[in-house]
Amino acid sequence: MKVRDRWDDLEAVDGAALFVAHDEPQALRDVLLGDELDAAGLPFPVLVDRSREAYARWGCGRIAWWRLWLDPNVWKQYWSLLGRGMSIRGAGGDTLQLGGDFIVAPDGSLAYSRPQQRDDRPAVGELIDRMHEVAAPARN
Amino acid sequence: MPPTPRPGDPAPQLDLPTLTDDRASLRDLRGRPVLVSFLRHAG
């Protein structure tokens, strides 16, 4: 989670973060967090949406399997994992489920909406910049 | 599936259990900018 590495930038604007996952909780602890830290050590909560109702409400759909396997970014990530000696472990969840990134303004409105269409997550730097833009009017 | 929420729309509701067996709600963070990130899958 690269946001964790930029946490100071979020705190600078009194920002908060909520991460949402749909996998089974124990698999999330094993795969997502690994051995380096436990969930209580994260600076933000990881919410669990097993039914994926929140995913649907926020516009995060599923990708067709053939589009997933034709995406070079997917292969790049898998090769990168293998190159670092890591195995490709599934968390038992739906690998076709897409995610998305959103920024909510202090007044509760949506300031940024970027549901994934494929493996196209925005850079963390872009999200941090948007957070600063959203926070600026509230601070003036 | 409902339409994708767009900038300017009210943020959809988000209130779920957490990995630490707690509960977290977007509503409780009103007044602060919040990054909401839906993960694709963990493995």
Side-chain angles (χ1 to χ4, degrees):
Chain A
M1 285 186 201
K2 291 175 184 169
V3 170
R4 192 178 67 212
D5 303 331
R6 300 284 305 268
W7 191 248
D8 288 348
D9 293 320
L10 277 187
E11 283 197 319
V13 292
D14 192 31
L18 298 173
F19 281 79
V20 187
H22 61 84
D23 299 283
E24 196 273 317
Q26 189 54 51
L28 274 171
R29 291 186 190 98
D30 294 345
V31 177
L32 187 69
L33 302 173
D35 298 328
E36 55 177 309
L37 78 171
D38 59 34
L42 290 171
F44 43 76
V46 179
L47 286 63
V48 182
D49 180 21
R50 294 287 292 147
S51 69
R52 286 182 272 167
E53 287 175 13
Y55 274 77
R57 207 161 40 239
W58 286 70
C60 298
R62 298 174 80 240
I63 190 171
W65 66 268
W66 57 269
R67 283 188 64 201
L68 175 72
W69 293 108
L70 286 176
D71 185 345
N73 283 332
V74 170
W75 293 101
K76 202 168 125 187
Q77 284 181 9
Y78 281 178
W79 282 114
S80 169
L81 282 173
L82 290 171
R84 285 180 281 150
M86 299 168 73
S87 62
I88 300 169
R89 295 180 294 172
D94 180 357
T95 55
L96 301 180
Q97 176 65 53
L98 293 169
D101 295 286
F102 304 86
I103 292 174
V104 180
D107 67 0
S109 67
L110 212 52
Y112 177 87
S113 173
R114 176 92 180 263
Q116 283 184 305
Q117 303 301 312
R118 52 188 173 84
D119 207 7
D120 57 350
R121 201 127 236 170
V124 173
E126 180 186 337
L127 296 173
I128 299 286
D129 288 347
R130 294 298 187 108
M131 287 286 279
H132 280 251
E133 288 169 17
V134 166
R139 286 183 294 171
N140 292 334
Chain B
M1 198 167 78
T4 301
R6 295 171 162 275
D9 292 347
Q13 181 207 342
L14 189 60
D15 184 332
L16 288 166
T18 71
L19 264 190
T20 51
D21 299 323
D22 206 347
R23 205 163 176 94
S25 172
L26 177 62
R27 199 174 37 238
D28 295 339
L29 298 170
R30 188 86 179 228
R32 303 170 67 187
V34 184
L35 170 65
V36 179
S37 194
F38 286 82
L39 304 180
R40 187 168 167 172
H41 63 92

